[in-house]
Amino acid sequence: NGKVGMGMGKAGDTSFAIDKALKQAKKRMITVPLTKTNSIPREITVKYASSIVFMKPAPGRGMAAGGSVRTVLDLAGVTDVNAKILSRSKNRFNNAKATLLALSRLA
């Protein structure tokens, strides 16, 4: 619905780690500017650590994205976008953070 957040928690028990991550994600929630076609308003390239993510609007074409970028965009409610991870980084957390950074800079 145009909102997404991300968090990471560490604990001795899995359920406690999930609770910590959920609290952190709720604190870091951002609002994503969506167009009428559930796309992003303009293209953007963002670098976070060693991860580089490129996104551009694709009205009527569906989502073309992979990995953690696709997950973040799905949860944000974006349906029509082309996204590409331009770096060779396999770090899913940094790729997701780069996607969130890109979505926050669209506003």
Side-chain angles (χ1 to χ4, degrees):
N1 294 333
K3 291 190 176 199
V4 68
M6 189 175 91
M8 184 172 73
K10 290 198 253 181
D13 188 28
T14 306
S15 62
F16 292 134
I18 292 171
D19 288 341
K20 286 170 94 174
L22 189 63
K23 283 181 186 179
Q24 195 177 64
K26 285 181 180 179
K27 284 182 190 176
R28 296 178 179 179
M29 192 79 66
I30 63 166
T31 303
V32 180
L34 297 175
T35 62
K36 292 179 183 177
T37 60
N38 285 338
S39 184
I40 56 176
R42 60 186 168 84
E43 66 179 50
I44 188 165
T45 304
V46 171
K47 182 177 191 296
Y48 176 82
S50 64
S51 298
I52 303 169
V53 173
F54 170 74
M55 293 188 293
K56 72 177 181 178
R61 303 188 102 192
M63 183 182 302
S68 55
V69 175
R70 183 182 193 91
T71 306
V72 172
L73 292 174
D74 273 338
L75 292 172
V78 180
T79 57
D80 294 336
V81 68
N82 287 340
K84 182 75 178 162
I85 299 170
L86 298 176
S87 63
R88 292 180 292 184
S89 174
K90 299 287 189 267
N91 189 329
R92 291 180 183 164
F93 189 77
N94 284 348
N95 289 336
K97 286 286 280 188
T99 306
L100 278 176
L101 186 62
L103 291 175
S104 67
R105 287 186 182 174
L106 287 171

